[in-house]
Amino acid sequence: MKSYRLNLLMCQANSFTIWVHLAATSKIVSNMSGVMNYRPAVLAFCLSCLVASLCFLSIPANSQSTGRTTDARTFSPNFDELADKVGLRFRHFNGMTGKLFLPEVMGAGTALFDFDNDGDLDVFMVQGSALEAGDKDARTPFPWREVGEPRGRLFRNDLAVAKDGARSLHFTDVTEKSGIVANRYGMGVAVGDINNDGWPDLYLTNLGSNQMYLNEGDGTFVDVTR
């Protein structure tokens, strides 16, 4: 805090010095010409603001009232990328055509919900598809290269907790077993217990008609859209 106040006082002193010097110059010029010239005064004001700004920039942004500064390099990352390691293998396909359709730049949705009611969060990931009826997924500018057609995926959380409290996180792709066929151009997903049976259901929003899936409580879903 003392260092901050000292830098601030130095800023004010430097600004005042420049102002006084150029103001005096302005007075001399006006006496010699007989006409008041305000240009030096305006210049003095601008330079004063510039000096003050540079001084403030030199003050560390993370200085606290204790006067200590913190080096950001001493912090370790708060998050690690574990998707592939824990089994969340998913590549979003936006069906880019090169025609700059609006859905191409809109990210898809993801739902975190406990579909099997075992106490941990499972994941449903929304997938895109080809944007035009005549397009093939494998022939777009950024083609689909995965096995099978692009579709939304459901991942079951198989979190294991050891006796000593150690946790092992792993997700299993249960899309085929679940009965969810989300092969349209997905835009989002909502979760709610639609029929009030205690099991969370899914509502999928698509570019076109939407889909509603009821959770049967046995790991499977039924399409009740119609």
Side-chain angles (χ1 to χ4, degrees):
M1 192 66 180
K2 291 181 180 179
S3 175
Y4 174 83
R5 290 177 178 174
L6 181 59
N7 286 337
L8 184 59
L9 289 174
M10 291 177 64
C11 290
Q12 294 173 343
N14 290 335
S15 301
F16 181 74
T17 301
I18 294 174
W19 175 266
V20 171
H21 177 72
L22 291 180
T25 303
S26 174
K27 184 175 181 180
I28 293 172
V29 171
S30 64
N31 289 337
M32 292 177 63
S33 61
V35 179
M36 191 64 179
N37 187 354
Y38 292 98
R39 290 181 183 176
V42 173
L43 179 60
F45 176 76
C46 293
L47 287 177
S48 299
C49 294
L50 177 61
V51 170
S53 300
L54 292 175
C55 290
F56 278 117
L57 288 176
S58 66
I59 299 173
N62 57 354
S63 59
Q64 305 295 327
S65 59
T66 59
R68 299 177 181 177
T69 58
T70 304
D71 189 350
R73 292 174 297 180
T74 62
F75 287 102
S76 60
N78 292 326
F79 297 93
D80 291 324
E81 175 56 66
L82 299 176
D84 190 66
K85 182 178 179 180
V86 300
L88 283 175
R89 298 179 180 90
F90 179 85
R91 177 195 172 208
H92 180 253
F93 177 66
N94 70 352
M96 184 181 296
T97 62
K99 298 179 182 179
L100 305 180
F101 291 132
L102 184 59
E104 296 178 6
V105 298
M106 299 176 66
T110 297
L112 298 176
F113 71 120
D114 187 7
F115 84 88
D116 52 2
N117 281 343
D118 65 350
D120 47 36
L121 292 175
D122 311 295
V123 181
F124 179 84
M125 294 187 176
V126 178
Q127 183 61 285
S129 66
L131 278 167
E132 294 186 303
D135 289 342
K136 299 295 183 181
D137 299 327
R139 296 183 180 179
T140 56
F142 292 90
W144 175 254
R145 301 188 184 278
E146 307 294 326
V147 178
E149 64 178 350
R151 58 189 289 191
R153 312 299 300 185
L154 178 64
F155 293 88
R156 185 184 64 221
N157 188 341
D158 293 328
L159 176 68
V161 182
K163 293 181 179 180
D164 61 356
R167 295 172 179 267
S168 177
L169 182 62
H170 180 75
F171 289 87
T172 302
D173 189 337
V174 294
T175 307
E176 302 297 336
K177 183 188 294 185
S178 71
I180 297 175
V181 183
N183 55 1
R184 304 176 188 179
Y185 198 100
M187 300 295 292
V189 56
V191 176
D193 186 3
I194 299 170
N195 55 355
N196 201 29
D197 64 351
W199 298 92
D201 310 300
L202 286 177
Y203 185 78
L204 309 180
T205 59
N206 302 306
L207 185 62
S209 58
N210 301 328
Q211 297 168 279
M212 181 183 292
Y213 281 91
L214 284 185
N215 189 340
E216 294 291 277
D218 58 358
T220 65
F221 289 78
V222 177
D223 188 344
V224 294
T225 305
R226 293 187 179 181

